[in-house]
Amino acid sequence: MDNCINIVMPQLNPNENKVYLAWNRTAGDAVLKGDSLASLETTKNVEDLLAPESGYFFPLVEDNAKYPVGNILGIITQSRSIDVSKLLDVQHIPSDNQHPAQLTRKAREYAMAQGIDLSLLPKNVLLKEEDVRRWQNHNKNEPVSQLEKLKEILVQCPDYRDALIVLGGGGAAKLVIETIRAQGIYSIVGILEQDCYDEDDEILGIPVIKGDDDEILQYLFTCGVHKACNAVVSYYDLTARDRIHARLTRIGFELPTIIHPTAHIEKGVAFGDGVFVHAQAYIGTNCIIGNNVFVNTRALISHDCIVGDTVFFAPNAVLGGSVSIGNQSVIGMCATILSEVQIGNNVFITNGANISTNIQDGQVISPQRKVE
């Protein structure tokens, strides 16, 4: 069967989760890698959506509408003669001409068998059968406020001594939840997430409260839930993670260090508040790790390193000995930093970069850019 490359809505503006799209290609058009496929518009700028590979273009969403970041917009195939719906196992449902619903075959068959009005289903997300079932169960009941839902959840967890609330419901939250479970120290009361789809009632079996405002956080703290974990991570912008850490600290939450059992931490490592260390990561002796740091899987931080606050290490990032990293800096996948190099604040080192000299504040360093 012909392979295909997904065309995904990019993040153009860290403050906007939906982007307006206008196609400038039609189904079956031959395109080269880097060709413009559509115009993307936010409140601040207009950019081209570029073809990720050469091939034949097929759209999967309607023209002249807004779609969320990360949504699959279309595909590039190596053949013009192709049944796109069969290849992707997706059925497109006519909607209000703004956001077409997308269902797998099994989800569509279940919805039709249950007599569900397809136009009422959530838009802008590929729905599986389990998603339709969850949506159906959710809509059988009268809506309740999120505070009332939180009260119902807390009733089921009367002992809060080891209870912990997770903030954020994205991909990083799944890593955090599984690590907390593997660690076996804390019980997760629930997940606070501002931007969940309406049908998302749980993530990995953990109930979701749609909102993370101070009223809900203060209510949790008053009820006796005094521990929290910040699972909000954006690879391109760490200000949201930093802001949530400050809010939790201001209210008085304890932010424990979450370390996966397969990570290796040498003696003499000092951790700040709210540090997360994922599976198979390594941190060498005498390192100082600041507050709110996120260390992803198989990242390696050698001896005597000093890491500032709200730093993000992508998978397989490598630091030599005695490296220092400033606040809110990002070390990309497979990036390497030579021993004794100093990295400033708000530095973005992209995937695969090899750093051998000091980097000043605010710089973006990629493998293609020579570091002076």
Side-chain angles (χ1 to χ4, degrees), residues 264-283:
H264 189 93
I265 312 298
E266 299 287 8
K267 294 181 180 179
V269 176
F271 289 106
D273 294 332
V275 175
F276 174 80
V277 182
H278 198 219
Q280 301 182 34
Y282 173 87
I283 302 179

Side-chain angles (χ1 to χ4, degrees), residues 21 23 59-63 67 71-74 92 100 102 124:
L21 175 144
W23 292 118
L60 296 179
V61 298
E62 295 181 6
D63 199 11
Y67 298 98
N71 194 67
I72 297 177
L73 306 171
H92 297 286
Q102 302 178 30
N124 286 325

Side-chain angles (χ1 to χ4, degrees), residues 138-324:
H138 176 76
N139 285 276
K140 287 180 180 178
N141 305 316
E142 292 296 324
V144 297
S145 73
Q146 296 305 302
L147 196 56
E148 288 298 319
K149 181 178 179 180
L150 178 57
K151 292 177 183 178
E152 294 177 7
I153 292 171
L154 292 176
V155 168
Q156 307 300 318
C157 182
D159 187 356
Y160 302 136
R161 285 175 296 180
D162 296 322
L164 181 147
I165 190 74
V166 172
L167 271 75
K174 296 176 182 178
L175 301 182
V176 168
I177 290 168
E178 296 292 14
T179 299
I180 291 171
R181 286 171 169 169
Q183 195 176 23
I185 299 174
Y186 307 104
S187 61
I188 305 174
V189 174
I191 299 166
L192 301 187
E193 169 57 52
Q194 189 68 49
D195 298 320
C196 274
Y197 291 106
D198 290 341
E199 73 275 14
D200 286 339
D201 287 328
E202 61 180 37
I203 296 173
L204 298 180
I206 306 298
V208 172
I209 303 299
K210 300 174 184 67
D212 60 0
D213 54 38
D214 283 350
E215 179 186 13
I216 290 178
L217 289 171
Q218 192 63 60
Y219 182 81
L220 276 164
F221 194 83
T222 302
C223 289
V225 179
H226 293 165
K227 297 181 179 67
C229 181
N230 184 0
V232 174
V233 178
S234 172
Y235 184 70
Y236 298 101
D237 184 7
L238 295 174
T239 55
R241 179 173 175 83
D242 196 53
R243 186 169 56 250
I244 288 175
H245 179 86
R247 289 174 59 201
L248 293 171
T249 301
R250 184 181 68 249
I251 293 172
F253 280 96
E254 177 187 344
L255 304 175
T257 296
I258 306 297
I259 301 177
H260 197 280
T262 63
H264 189 93
I265 312 298
E266 299 287 8
K267 294 181 180 179
V269 176
F271 289 106
D273 294 332
V275 175
F276 174 80
V277 182
H278 198 219
Q280 301 182 34
Y282 173 87
I283 302 179
T285 187
N286 293 330
C287 286
I288 299 174
I289 309 299
N291 300 319
N292 204 30
V293 171
F294 194 103
V295 182
N296 218 318
T297 183
R298 294 186 177 178
L300 188 155
I301 302 173
S302 194
H303 62 89
D304 297 297
C305 290
I306 300 175
V307 177
D309 296 340
T310 318
V311 174
F312 177 80
F313 293 92
N316 293 298
V318 177
L319 267 61
S322 302
V323 170
S324 68

